[in-house]
Amino acid sequence: MKKKVVLAYSGGLDTSCAVKWLKDKYDVDVVCFSAFIGEVPDKEKLKKKALASGAIKTYIQDLKAEFAQDFLLPGLWAHARYEGGYPLATAFGRPLIAKHLVEIAHKEKAQYVAHGCTGKGNDQVRIEVGVRTLDPRLKIIAPLREWEFKTREEEIEYAQKHKIPVQATKASPYSIDKNIWGIAIEAGILENAWTEPPEDAYVMTQSIAKTPKKPKYVVIEFERGVPVKVDGKRRALADTIEYLNKVAGQYGVGRFDQIENRLIGIKSREVYEAPAAEVLLTAHTELENMVMDRDFLHYKKLLSEKYAEMVYYGLWFSPLKKSLDAFFSANQARVTGKVRIKLHAGHARCVGRESKNSLYSEKMATYSEGDAFDHHMAEGFLKLWGLPYEGMGK
Ligand code: ARG
């Protein structure tokens, strides 16, 4: 019997060529796995395409709900953004793919898994480290790091020669990765760090010049840290995210243009869109600010940065990342309440919040009538607070 490989398959040119290339180069049967965590395309068509490219079997799965619950929710609780901007959409998607590659490999009794990542990016790290963390016995093949093709044209020629179906539509000038948490747009003209991204590079957001003049308010309701309702309507988490992508996208919310430090050492210029992530991260952060104490909030910020780094570096299944998840989830039971977000001209701002667990007291805060704060207490407090520093500034 032939050995088997499970290939993470998108149906694009690279992974379509990879099916045939793996068969020839490694003399294996190829099982294709496609995870839908963004738009769900025509499953039948994709299956046909994989089989026509030479696969013996396909697993085509809508994994949005699992993605939202097990990957994005922990990321939301962690307030994870890489280097202060990018909410990590692609980085959350890869460990989910790694997990399913391993599961399918076990089911199929496959010896190999394979992916279509290049040798230059972070995605290869996330998939391979993920797979090895889960099952170090599986061998990993990365055709794009190995094969002889240097250009897209050479791949197209190979596809035509071997009757591998290729898209008739013109390929995008950018390299794109999309899921419900956002889209990453790279390459082409964007590689010039001085050039403003042209409007045609953006997919999920309206150009700011074309956003509605009138702001729109949305109310996000959280129960125990989970956004459960938008404007009073209860929705599953993945639906909430998709709905907010549409609404906030119309207001141009969630665009990022950053120079980022890749794990493999190079700096790259990346453009992202993440409308729902921007709204939800803002809303959750603001509600937590209201219901949690100072020490927790300040300390959490340090750990959020570490967490984002670990997710970005492909360490999703590592012990520290797991422990950090436990830290961030420990107090989510308090994060219940509503946040009012104003969408306007590319911004999502919190303009109101309320919670039954609020630590904010208007009575204590007020400068007007009814002040409950005892100003005299400040005197003694300040004496002690400043005591260690007396004379030290001389
Ligand atoms: N730079 C981002 C990251 O490392 C996005 C990667 C996008 N991947 C892609 N195949 N276009 O998470």
Side-chain angles (χ1 to χ4, degrees), residues 86 90 94 122-123 126 175 177 184 186 260 270 272 312:
Y86 165 49
T90 299
R94 300 310 187 214
N122 298 311
D123 290 328
R126 297 165 185 153
S175 158
D177 184 69
E186 305 169 74
E260 100 190 12
E270 314 256 353
Y272 301 106
Y312 188 89

Side-chain angles (χ1 to χ4, degrees), residues 315-357:
L315 303 174
W316 182 266
F317 299 103
S318 71
L320 177 57
K321 143 74 182 53
K322 244 191 250 171
S323 308
L324 291 176
D325 275 325
F327 174 87
F328 296 123
S329 68
N331 291 296
Q332 290 306 316
R334 290 188 60 80
V335 188
T336 293
K338 286 183 195 171
V339 181
R340 208 148 69 94
I341 298 282
K342 183 176 181 174
L343 306 173
H344 192 228
H347 296 288
R349 293 202 173 91
C350 170
V351 293
R353 61 293 260 169
E354 66 175 37
S355 169
K356 65 177 168 67
N357 300 323

Side-chain angles (χ1 to χ4, degrees), residues 25-318:
K25 174 95 189 198
Y26 283 87
D27 191 28
V28 284
D29 281 334
V30 181
V31 173
C32 284
F33 159 61
S34 306
F36 295 135
I37 51 178
E39 277 140 27
V40 179
D42 187 332
K43 288 186 192 176
E44 267 316 300
K45 231 165 130 185
L46 191 66
K47 179 175 178 175
K48 267 201 196 132
K49 198 171 179 184
L51 298 177
S53 303
I56 58 153
K57 190 172 178 182
T58 59
Y59 285 78
I60 297 175
Q61 295 168 337
D62 183 343
L63 300 173
K64 267 190 225 172
E66 178 188 343
F67 184 48
Q69 190 61 38
D70 296 348
F71 294 82
L72 302 181
L73 189 61
L76 173 64
W77 288 356
H79 300 167
R81 296 175 181 269
Y82 187 59
E83 296 182 339
Y86 165 49
L88 293 160
T90 299
F92 286 123
R94 300 310 187 214
L96 171 128
I97 292 171
K99 175 180 167 226
H100 284 268
L101 276 177
V102 171
E103 279 172 16
I104 295 170
H106 289 168
K107 212 161 134 195
E108 291 289 330
K109 301 197 171 22
Q111 295 78 8
Y112 299 97
V113 297
H115 61 77
C117 306
T118 71
K120 217 173 168 175
N122 298 311
D123 290 328
Q124 54 178 347
V125 183
R126 297 165 185 153
I127 292 189
E128 296 195 19
V129 175
V131 166
R132 279 169 50 211
T133 312
L134 296 170
D135 184 355
R137 290 165 311 174
L138 284 168
K139 292 197 179 63
I140 304 167
I141 311 172
L144 274 73
R145 287 202 305 250
E146 266 187 56
W147 68 25
E148 57 283 14
F149 315 124
K150 286 195 182 62
T151 61
R152 218 180 141 76
E153 288 65 37
E154 285 175 30
E155 280 183 58
I156 293 174
E157 203 178 296
Y158 174 84
Q160 279 164 349
K161 193 167 132 205
H162 296 287
K163 302 202 167 35
I164 297 164
V166 288
Q167 217 94 26
T169 53
K170 211 170 147 269
S172 156
Y174 310 108
S175 158
I176 280 177
D177 184 69
K178 185 171 185 228
N179 64 50
I180 57 173
W181 205 234
I183 184 167
I185 309 146
E186 305 169 74
I189 190 178
L190 303 174
E191 285 167 2
N192 182 320
W194 181 252
T195 304
E196 181 177 357
E199 277 304 321
D200 77 358
Y202 293 104
V203 178
M204 299 173 81
T205 55
Q206 179 68 267
S207 125
I208 309 297
K210 291 191 188 150
T211 55
K213 293 265 167 312
K214 235 180 91 194
K216 183 181 174 70
Y217 294 85
V218 285
V219 175
I220 317 281
E221 200 170 328
F222 289 86
E223 275 170 23
R224 306 173 74 85
V226 183
V228 290
K229 285 186 195 168
V230 181
D231 291 337
K233 189 171 178 317
R234 192 170 278 273
R235 294 170 189 270
L237 183 56
D239 292 347
T240 291
I241 295 168
E242 291 192 288
Y243 173 74
L244 287 174
N245 275 332
K246 262 192 242 130
V247 176
Q250 282 163 7
Y251 286 80
V253 166
R255 288 187 173 188
F256 302 87
D257 175 350
Q258 58 188 100
I259 293 282
E260 100 190 12
N261 291 292
R262 284 200 190 161
L263 179 59
I264 43 116
I266 55 173
K267 283 191 192 291
S268 55
R269 195 275 188 97
E270 314 256 353
V271 173
Y272 301 106
E273 296 169 281
E278 185 61 31
V279 170
L280 291 173
L281 285 163
T282 302
H284 188 276
T285 303
E286 290 293 337
L287 189 56
E288 220 173 50
N289 282 345
M290 182 177 234
V291 301
M292 294 304 296
D293 62 283
R294 176 174 61 194
D295 273 339
F296 174 84
L297 293 170
H298 291 187
Y299 201 74
K300 169 168 175 164
K301 267 203 186 351
L302 306 175
L303 298 187
S304 290
E305 190 143 334
K306 183 70 190 167
Y307 185 91
E309 248 176 51
M310 296 199 78
V311 173
Y312 188 89
Y313 295 168
L315 303 174
W316 182 266
F317 299 103
S318 71

Side-chain angles (χ1 to χ4, degrees), residues 334-386:
R334 290 188 60 80
V335 188
T336 293
K338 286 183 195 171
V339 181
R340 208 148 69 94
I341 298 282
K342 183 176 181 174
L343 306 173
H344 192 228
H347 296 288
R349 293 202 173 91
C350 170
V351 293
R353 61 293 260 169
E354 66 175 37
S355 169
K356 65 177 168 67
N357 300 323
S358 178
L359 301 176
Y360 171 79
S361 152
E362 212 171 326
K363 259 197 188 144
M364 291 294 270
T366 188
Y367 287 104
S368 310
E369 201 69 35
D371 185 0
F373 185 83
D374 181 352
H375 292 238
H376 298 294
M377 287 195 313
E379 199 182 325
F381 169 71
L382 292 186
K383 273 200 183 127
L384 299 184
W385 180 247

